[in-house]
Coordinates of all heavy atoms in Angstrom, one line a residue:
M16 N 37.3 236.0 162.3 CA 38.6 235.8 162.1 C 38.8 235.2 160.8 O 38.2 234.3 160.4 CB 39.2 235.0 163.2 CG 40.8 234.9 163.1 SD 41.3 234.2 164.6 CE 42.5 232.9 163.9
S17 N 39.7 235.7 159.9 CA 40.0 235.2 158.6 C 40.9 234.1 158.7 O 41.9 234.0 159.5 CB 40.6 236.3 157.9 OG 41.1 235.9 156.6
A18 N 40.7 233.1 157.9 CA 41.6 231.9 157.8 C 42.9 232.3 156.8 O 43.8 231.5 156.8 CB 40.9 230.7 157.2
E19 N 42.7 233.4 156.2 CA 43.8 233.7 155.2 C 45.1 234.2 156.0 O 45.0 234.9 157.1 CB 43.4 234.8 154.3 CG 42.4 234.3 153.4 CD 42.0 235.3 152.3 OE1 42.9 236.2 152.0 OE2 40.9 235.3 151.8
R20 N 46.3 233.9 155.5 CA 47.5 234.3 156.1 C 47.8 235.7 155.5 O 47.4 236.0 154.4 CB 48.7 233.3 155.8 CG 48.4 231.9 156.3 CD 49.6 231.0 156.1 NE 50.3 231.3 154.8 CZ 51.1 230.5 154.3 NH1 51.3 229.3 154.7 NH2 51.6 230.8 153.1
P21 N 48.5 236.5 156.3 CA 49.0 237.8 155.8 C 49.9 237.5 154.6 O 50.5 236.6 154.4 CB 49.9 238.4 156.9 CG 49.5 237.6 158.1 CD 48.9 236.3 157.7
A22 N 49.8 238.5 153.7 CA 50.5 238.5 152.4 C 52.0 238.2 152.6 O 52.6 237.3 151.8 CB 50.3 239.6 151.5
E23 N 52.6 238.8 153.6 CA 54.0 238.6 153.7 C 54.4 237.2 154.2 O 55.5 236.8 154.1 CB 54.6 239.6 154.7 CG 54.0 239.5 156.1 CD 52.8 240.4 156.3 OE1 52.2 240.9 155.3 OE2 52.4 240.6 157.4
D24 N 53.4 236.4 154.7 CA 53.7 235.0 155.1 C 53.4 234.0 154.0 O 53.7 232.8 154.1 CB 52.8 234.7 156.2 CG 53.1 235.3 157.5 OD1 54.2 235.9 157.6 OD2 52.3 235.2 158.4
Q25 N 52.9 234.4 152.8 CA 52.5 233.5 151.7 C 53.7 233.3 150.9 O 54.4 234.3 150.4 CB 51.3 234.1 151.0 CG 50.1 234.0 151.9 CD 48.9 234.4 151.2 OE1 48.9 234.5 149.9 NE2 47.8 234.7 151.9
E26 N 54.0 232.1 150.4 CA 54.9 231.7 149.4 C 54.3 232.2 148.0 O 53.1 231.8 147.7 CB 55.1 230.1 149.4 CG 55.9 229.8 150.6 CD 57.4 230.1 150.6 OE1 57.9 230.1 149.5 OE2 57.9 230.4 151.6
P27 N 55.2 232.7 147.1 CA 54.7 233.0 145.8 C 54.4 231.6 145.1 O 55.0 230.6 145.3 CB 55.8 233.7 145.1 CG 57.0 233.4 145.9 CD 56.6 233.0 147.3
V28 N 53.4 231.6 144.2 CA 53.1 230.4 143.4 C 54.2 230.2 142.4 O 54.6 231.2 141.8 CB 51.7 230.6 142.6 CG1 51.5 229.4 141.7 CG2 50.6 230.8 143.6
R29 N 54.7 229.0 142.3 CA 55.8 228.8 141.5 C 55.5 227.9 140.4 O 54.7 227.1 140.3 CB 56.9 227.9 142.2 CG 57.5 228.7 143.5 CD 58.5 229.6 143.1 NE 58.9 230.5 144.2 CZ 59.7 231.6 144.0 NH1 60.1 231.9 142.8 NH2 60.1 232.2 145.1
D30 N 56.1 228.3 139.2 CA 56.0 227.5 137.9 C 56.8 226.2 138.1 O 58.1 226.4 138.3 CB 56.5 228.3 136.8 CG 56.4 227.6 135.4 OD1 56.1 226.3 135.5 OD2 56.5 228.2 134.4
P31 N 56.2 225.1 138.1 CA 57.0 223.9 138.4 C 58.1 223.6 137.3 O 59.1 223.0 137.6 CB 56.0 222.7 138.4 CG 54.6 223.3 138.0 CD 54.8 224.9 137.9
G32 N 58.0 224.1 136.2 CA 59.0 223.9 135.1 C 60.2 224.8 135.3 O 61.4 224.4 135.0
S33 N 60.0 226.1 135.7 CA 61.2 227.0 135.7 C 61.6 227.4 137.1 O 62.7 227.9 137.3 CB 60.7 228.2 135.1 OG 59.8 229.0 135.9
G34 N 60.9 227.0 138.1 CA 61.2 227.4 139.4 C 60.9 228.9 139.8 O 61.0 229.3 140.8
G35 N 60.5 229.6 138.7 CA 60.2 231.1 138.8 C 58.8 231.2 139.2 O 58.0 230.3 139.2
P36 N 58.4 232.5 139.5 CA 57.0 232.8 139.8 C 56.1 232.4 138.6 O 56.5 232.7 137.5 CB 56.9 234.2 140.1 CG 58.3 234.7 140.3 CD 59.2 233.6 139.6
A37 N 54.9 231.7 138.9 CA 54.0 231.4 137.8 C 53.2 232.6 137.4 O 52.9 233.5 138.2 CB 53.1 230.3 138.3
E38 N 52.8 232.6 136.1 CA 52.0 233.7 135.6 C 50.6 233.2 136.0 O 50.2 232.2 135.8 CB 52.2 233.7 134.0 CG 51.3 234.9 133.5 CD 51.6 234.9 131.9 OE1 52.5 234.2 131.4 OE2 50.9 235.6 131.3
P39 N 49.8 234.1 136.5 CA 48.4 233.8 136.9 C 47.6 233.4 135.6 O 47.9 233.8 134.5 CB 47.8 235.1 137.4 CG 48.9 236.0 137.6 CD 50.1 235.6 136.8
V40 N 46.7 232.4 135.8 CA 45.8 231.9 134.7 C 44.4 232.5 134.9 O 43.9 232.6 136.1 CB 45.7 230.5 134.8 CG1 44.8 229.9 133.8 CG2 47.1 229.8 134.5
S41 N 43.9 233.0 133.8 CA 42.5 233.4 133.9 C 41.7 232.6 132.9 O 42.1 232.2 131.8 CB 42.3 234.9 133.7 OG 42.6 235.3 132.3
I42 N 40.3 232.2 133.2 CA 39.5 231.6 132.3 C 38.3 232.5 132.2 O 37.6 232.7 133.2 CB 39.1 230.1 132.9 CG1 40.5 229.4 133.0 CG2 38.1 229.5 131.9 CD1 40.3 228.0 133.6
T43 N 37.9 232.9 131.0 CA 36.8 233.7 130.8 C 35.7 232.8 130.1 O 35.9 232.3 129.0 CB 37.0 234.9 130.0 OG1 38.2 235.6 130.6 CG2 35.9 235.8 129.7
V44 N 34.6 232.8 130.7 CA 33.4 232.1 130.0 C 32.7 233.0 129.1 O 32.1 234.0 129.4 CB 32.4 231.6 131.1 CG1 31.2 230.9 130.5 CG2 33.1 230.7 132.0
C45 N 32.8 232.7 127.8 CA 32.0 233.6 126.8 C 30.7 233.1 126.7 O 30.3 232.0 126.6 CB 32.6 233.4 125.4 SG 34.4 233.9 125.3
P46 N 29.7 234.1 126.7 CA 28.4 233.8 126.7 C 27.9 233.0 125.4 O 28.3 233.3 124.3 CB 27.6 235.2 126.6 CG 28.6 236.2 127.2 CD 30.0 235.6 126.8
D47 N 27.4 231.8 125.7 CA 27.0 230.9 124.6 C 28.2 230.6 123.6 O 28.0 230.4 122.4 CB 25.9 231.5 123.8 CG 24.6 231.7 124.6 OD1 24.4 230.9 125.6 OD2 23.9 232.6 124.3
G48 N 29.5 230.6 124.2 CA 30.6 230.3 123.4 C 31.7 229.6 124.2 O 31.4 228.9 125.1
P49 N 32.9 229.7 123.7 CA 34.0 229.0 124.3 C 34.6 229.5 125.7 O 34.0 230.5 126.1 CB 35.2 229.1 123.3 CG 34.9 230.6 122.7 CD 33.5 230.6 122.6
L50 N 35.5 228.9 126.2 CA 36.3 229.3 127.5 C 37.5 229.8 126.9 O 38.3 229.3 126.2 CB 36.6 228.1 128.4 CG 35.2 227.4 128.9 CD1 35.8 226.1 129.7 CD2 34.5 228.2 129.7
L51 N 37.8 231.1 127.3 CA 39.1 231.7 126.9 C 40.1 231.6 128.1 O 39.8 232.0 129.1 CB 38.9 233.2 126.5 CG 38.0 233.5 125.4 CD1 38.0 235.0 125.1 CD2 38.4 232.8 124.1
V52 N 41.2 230.9 127.7 CA 42.2 230.6 128.8 C 43.4 231.5 128.4 O 44.0 231.5 127.3 CB 42.7 229.2 128.8 CG1 43.6 229.0 130.0 CG2 41.3 228.4 128.9
R53 N 43.9 232.3 129.5 CA 45.1 233.2 129.3 C 46.0 233.0 130.5 O 45.6 232.6 131.5 CB 44.6 234.6 129.3 CG 43.6 235.0 128.3 CD 43.2 236.6 128.4 NE 42.4 236.9 127.5 CZ 41.0 237.0 127.5 NH1 40.4 236.6 128.7 NH2 40.3 237.4 126.5
G54 N 47.3 233.3 130.2 CA 48.2 233.3 131.3 C 49.2 232.0 131.2 O 49.4 231.5 130.1
G55 N 49.7 231.6 132.4 CA 50.6 230.7 132.3 C 50.1 229.2 132.5 O 50.4 228.4 133.4
Y56 N 49.2 228.9 131.7 CA 48.5 227.6 131.7 C 49.3 226.5 130.9 O 50.2 226.9 130.1 CB 47.0 227.6 131.0 CG 47.1 227.9 129.5 CD1 47.2 227.0 128.6 CD2 47.0 229.2 129.1 CE1 47.3 227.2 127.3 CE2 47.1 229.6 127.8 CZ 47.2 228.6 126.9 OH 47.3 228.8 125.5
Q57 N 49.1 225.2 131.2 CA 49.6 224.2 130.4 C 48.4 223.3 130.0 O 47.7 222.8 130.8 CB 50.6 223.3 131.2 CG 51.3 222.3 130.4 CD 52.3 221.5 131.1 OE1 52.2 221.3 132.3 NE2 53.3 221.0 130.4
L58 N 48.3 223.0 128.8 CA 47.2 222.3 128.2 C 47.7 220.8 127.9 O 48.7 220.6 127.3 CB 46.7 222.9 126.9 CG 45.5 222.3 126.2 CD1 44.3 222.5 127.1 CD2 45.3 223.0 124.9
L59 N 47.0 219.9 128.5 CA 47.4 218.4 128.4 C 46.3 217.6 127.8 O 45.1 218.0 128.0 CB 47.7 217.9 129.8 CG 48.8 218.7 130.7 CD1 48.8 218.1 132.1 CD2 50.1 218.6 130.0
D60 N 46.6 216.6 127.1 CA 45.7 215.6 126.6 C 45.2 214.6 127.6 O 45.7 214.6 128.8 CB 46.1 215.0 125.2 CG 47.2 213.9 125.4 OD1 47.6 213.7 126.6 OD2 47.8 213.6 124.5
G61 N 44.5 213.6 127.2 CA 44.0 212.7 128.1 C 45.1 211.8 128.8 O 44.8 211.1 129.8
D62 N 46.2 211.8 128.1 CA 47.3 210.9 128.6 C 48.4 211.8 129.3 O 49.6 211.4 129.4 CB 48.0 210.2 127.5 CG 47.0 209.1 127.0 OD1 46.3 208.4 127.8 OD2 46.9 209.0 125.7
D63 N 48.0 213.1 129.7 CA 48.9 214.0 130.3 C 50.0 214.5 129.4 O 51.2 214.9 129.9 CB 49.4 213.5 131.7 CG 48.4 213.5 132.7 OD1 47.4 214.2 132.6 OD2 48.5 212.8 133.8
R64 N 49.9 214.4 128.1 CA 50.9 214.8 127.3 C 50.6 216.3 126.8 O 49.4 216.7 126.6 CB 51.0 214.0 125.8 CG 51.5 212.6 126.2 CD 51.5 211.8 124.9 NE 50.2 211.8 124.5 CZ 49.6 210.7 123.8 NH1 50.3 209.6 123.6 NH2 48.3 210.7 123.4
P65 N 51.5 217.1 126.8 CA 51.3 218.5 126.6 C 50.8 218.7 125.1 O 51.1 218.0 124.1 CB 52.6 219.2 126.6 CG 53.5 218.3 127.3 CD 53.0 216.9 127.1
I66 N 49.8 219.6 125.0 CA 49.3 220.0 123.7 C 49.8 221.5 123.4 O 49.6 222.4 124.3 CB 47.7 220.1 123.7 CG1 47.2 218.6 123.9 CG2 47.2 220.6 122.3 CD1 45.7 218.6 124.1
D67 N 50.5 221.7 122.3 CA 51.0 223.1 122.0 C 49.8 223.9 121.4 O 49.3 223.6 120.2 CB 52.0 223.0 121.0 CG 52.5 224.4 120.7 OD1 52.2 225.4 121.3 OD2 53.5 224.5 119.8
P68 N 49.3 224.8 122.1 CA 48.1 225.6 121.6 C 48.5 226.5 120.5 O 47.7 227.2 119.7 CB 47.5 226.3 122.8 CG 48.7 226.5 123.7 CD 49.6 225.4 123.5
G69 N 49.8 226.9 120.4 CA 50.4 227.7 119.4 C 50.1 229.2 119.6 O 50.4 230.1 118.7
R70 N 49.5 229.5 120.8 CA 49.3 231.0 121.1 C 49.1 231.1 122.6 O 49.0 230.2 123.4 CB 48.0 231.5 120.3 CG 46.8 230.7 120.7 CD 45.6 230.9 119.9 NE 45.9 230.4 118.5 CZ 45.1 230.6 117.5 NH1 44.0 231.2 117.7 NH2 45.4 230.2 116.4
A71 N 49.2 232.4 123.0 CA 49.1 232.7 124.5 C 47.7 232.5 125.1 O 47.5 232.1 126.1 CB 49.7 234.1 124.7
T72 N 46.7 233.0 124.2 CA 45.3 232.8 124.6 C 44.7 231.8 123.8 O 44.9 231.8 122.5 CB 44.6 234.2 124.4 OG1 45.2 235.1 125.3 CG2 43.1 234.1 124.8
V73 N 44.0 230.8 124.4 CA 43.3 229.8 123.6 C 41.8 229.8 124.0 O 41.4 230.1 125.1 CB 44.0 228.5 124.0 CG1 43.9 228.1 125.5 CG2 43.6 227.4 123.1
A74 N 41.1 229.4 123.0 CA 39.5 229.2 123.1 C 39.3 227.7 123.1 O 39.6 227.1 122.1 CB 38.9 229.9 122.0
L75 N 38.7 227.3 124.2 CA 38.4 225.9 124.3 C 36.9 225.7 124.1 O 36.0 226.4 124.8 CB 38.8 225.4 125.8 CG 40.2 225.4 126.1 CD1 40.5 225.0 127.5 CD2 41.0 224.7 125.1
C76 N 36.5 224.7 123.3 CA 35.2 224.4 123.0 C 34.5 223.8 124.3 O 35.0 223.0 125.0 CB 35.1 223.3 121.9 SG 33.5 222.9 121.4
R77 N 33.2 224.3 124.4 CA 32.4 223.8 125.5 C 31.0 223.3 124.9 O 30.1 223.0 125.6 CB 32.2 224.7 126.7 CG 31.5 226.0 126.5 CD 31.4 226.8 127.8 NE 30.8 228.0 127.6 CZ 29.9 228.5 128.3 NH1 29.5 227.9 129.4 NH2 29.4 229.8 128.0
C78 N 30.9 223.5 123.6 CA 29.6 223.1 123.0 C 29.6 221.7 122.5 O 28.6 221.1 122.3 CB 29.2 224.0 121.9 SG 30.1 223.9 120.4
G79 N 30.8 221.2 122.1 CA 30.9 219.9 121.6 C 30.9 219.7 120.1 O 31.0 218.6 119.6
A80 N 30.6 220.8 119.4 CA 30.4 220.8 118.0 C 31.7 221.1 117.2 O 31.8 220.9 115.9 CB 29.4 221.8 117.6
S81 N 32.8 221.5 117.8 CA 34.0 221.8 117.2 C 34.6 220.7 116.5 O 34.7 219.5 117.0 CB 35.0 222.4 118.1 OG 36.2 222.7 117.5
S82 N 35.2 220.8 115.2 CA 35.9 219.8 114.6 C 37.4 219.8 114.9 O 38.1 218.9 114.4 CB 35.6 220.0 113.1 OG 36.3 221.2 112.6
I83 N 37.8 220.7 115.8 CA 39.3 220.8 116.1 C 39.4 220.8 117.7 O 40.2 221.5 118.3 CB 40.0 222.0 115.6 CG1 39.2 223.4 116.0 CG2 40.0 221.9 114.0 CD1 40.0 224.7 115.7
K84 N 38.6 220.0 118.3 CA 38.6 219.9 119.8 C 40.0 219.6 120.2 O 40.7 218.9 119.6 CB 37.6 218.8 120.3 CG 36.2 219.0 119.9 CD 35.4 217.8 120.5 CE 33.9 217.9 120.1 NZ 33.7 217.4 118.7
P85 N 40.4 220.2 121.4 CA 39.6 220.9 122.4 C 39.4 222.3 122.1 O 38.8 223.0 122.9 CB 40.4 220.7 123.6 CG 41.8 220.7 123.1 CD 41.9 220.0 121.8
F86 N 39.8 222.7 120.9 CA 39.7 224.2 120.5 C 38.4 224.5 119.9 O 37.8 223.7 119.2 CB 40.9 224.6 119.6 CG 42.2 224.2 120.2 CD1 43.0 223.1 119.6 CD2 42.7 224.9 121.3 CE1 44.1 222.7 120.1 CE2 44.0 224.5 121.7 CZ 44.7 223.5 121.2
C87 N 38.0 225.7 120.1 CA 36.8 226.2 119.4 C 37.1 226.7 118.0 O 38.1 227.1 117.7 CB 36.3 227.6 120.2 SG 35.1 228.4 119.4
D88 N 36.1 226.2 117.1 CA 36.4 226.6 115.7 C 35.2 227.4 115.2 O 35.0 227.7 114.0 CB 36.6 225.4 114.7 CG 35.2 224.5 114.7 OD1 34.3 224.8 115.3 OD2 35.2 223.6 113.9
G89 N 34.3 228.0 116.0 CA 33.3 228.9 115.8 C 32.0 228.0 115.5 O 30.9 228.6 115.2
S90 N 32.1 226.7 115.6 CA 30.8 225.9 115.2 C 29.8 226.1 116.3 O 28.5 225.8 115.9 CB 31.2 224.4 115.3 OG 32.0 224.1 114.1
H91 N 30.0 226.6 117.4 CA 29.0 227.0 118.4 C 27.9 227.9 117.8 O 26.7 227.7 118.2 CB 29.6 227.5 119.7 CG 30.3 228.8 119.6 ND1 31.6 228.8 119.3 CD2 29.9 230.1 119.6 CE1 32.0 230.0 119.1 NE2 31.0 230.8 119.3
K92 N 28.2 228.7 116.9 CA 27.3 229.5 116.4 C 26.3 228.9 115.4 O 25.0 229.0 115.5 CB 27.9 230.7 115.6 CG 28.7 231.6 116.4 CD 29.5 232.7 115.6 CE 30.2 233.6 116.6 NZ 31.2 234.4 115.9
R93 N 26.9 228.0 114.5 CA 26.1 227.2 113.7 C 25.1 226.2 114.4 O 24.0 225.9 114.1 CB 26.8 226.4 112.7 CG 27.4 227.2 111.6 CD 28.1 226.3 110.4 NE 29.2 225.5 111.0 CZ 30.4 226.0 111.3 NH1 30.7 227.3 111.0 NH2 31.3 225.2 111.7
A94 N 25.8 225.6 115.5 CA 25.0 224.7 116.4 C 24.0 225.3 117.3 O 23.2 224.8 118.0 CB 25.9 223.9 117.3
R95 N 24.1 226.8 117.3 CA 23.1 227.6 118.2 C 23.3 227.2 119.6 O 22.3 227.0 120.3 CB 21.7 227.6 117.7 CG 21.6 228.2 116.3 CD 20.2 228.1 115.8 NE 20.1 228.7 114.5 CZ 19.0 229.0 113.9 NH1 17.8 228.7 114.4 NH2 19.0 229.5 112.7
F96 N 24.4 227.1 120.0 CA 24.8 226.6 121.5 C 24.3 227.6 122.4 O 24.5 228.8 122.2 CB 26.3 226.4 121.5 CG 26.7 226.1 123.0 CD1 26.3 225.0 123.7 CD2 27.5 227.0 123.8 CE1 26.7 224.6 125.0 CE2 27.8 226.8 125.0 CZ 27.5 225.7 125.7
R97 N 23.5 227.2 123.4 CA 23.2 228.0 124.5 C 23.6 227.5 125.8 O 23.5 226.2 126.1 CB 21.7 228.1 124.5 CG 21.0 228.9 123.3 CD 21.3 230.3 123.2 NE 20.9 230.9 122.0 CZ 21.7 231.3 121.1 NH1 23.1 230.9 121.2 NH2 21.3 231.9 120.0
A98 N 24.3 228.3 126.6 CA 24.9 227.8 127.8 C 23.8 227.4 128.8 O 24.0 226.7 129.8 CB 25.9 228.7 128.3
R99 N 22.6 228.1 128.8 CA 21.6 227.9 129.7 C 20.4 227.2 129.1 O 20.0 227.5 128.0 CB 21.2 229.2 130.3 CG 22.3 229.8 131.1 CD 21.9 231.2 131.7 NE 23.1 231.9 131.6 CZ 23.1 233.3 131.9 NH1 22.0 233.9 132.2 NH2 24.1 234.0 131.8
Ligands
FES122 S1 32.4 226.5 121.7 FE1 33.0 227.2 119.8 S2 32.9 225.4 118.6 FE2 32.3 224.7 120.7

């Protein structure tokens, strides 16, 4: 027996800011590179203040070498970052 409720019983995910349906968020792990975030995300700093990414899709550094953290600046290639 499935624990999932039928689709007609489920509430749509709401965007807390607008009250409307939230846009789905996807995160793509690039091989030996950044995380690509798309959709209805909100990026916050360590004090929960919004960071304006300036674009709909953002690449987040996961190698630690970027000079514009939390964003990827391509330094992962020079650093020869390997995810494994
Ligand atoms: S993942 Fe690109 S600079 Fe870190």
Side-chain angles (χ1 to χ4, degrees):
M16 184 171 134
S17 172
E19 292 186 25
R20 297 183 329 196
E23 60 271 11
D24 289 350
Q25 296 182 13
E26 292 285 324
V28 177
R29 297 281 173 193
D30 180 347
S33 69
E38 186 179 350
V40 175
S41 69
I42 301 173
T43 304
V44 179
C45 296
D47 302 328
L50 302 173
L51 296 181
V52 184
R53 300 178 178 95
Y56 66 87
Q57 184 179 30
L58 189 60
L59 304 172
D60 70 10
D62 295 319
D63 287 339
R64 291 179 300 219
I66 298 173
D67 180 5
R70 58 189 68 180
T72 298
V73 67
L75 298 179
C76 176
R77 68 178 175 132
C78 76
S81 175
S82 61
I83 57 168
K84 294 180 189 85
F86 305 107
C87 170
D88 68 357
S90 294
H91 58 272
K92 292 177 184 169
R93 285 189 301 282
R95 298 184 179 186
F96 172 67
R97 295 291 175 254
R99 294 180 219 171

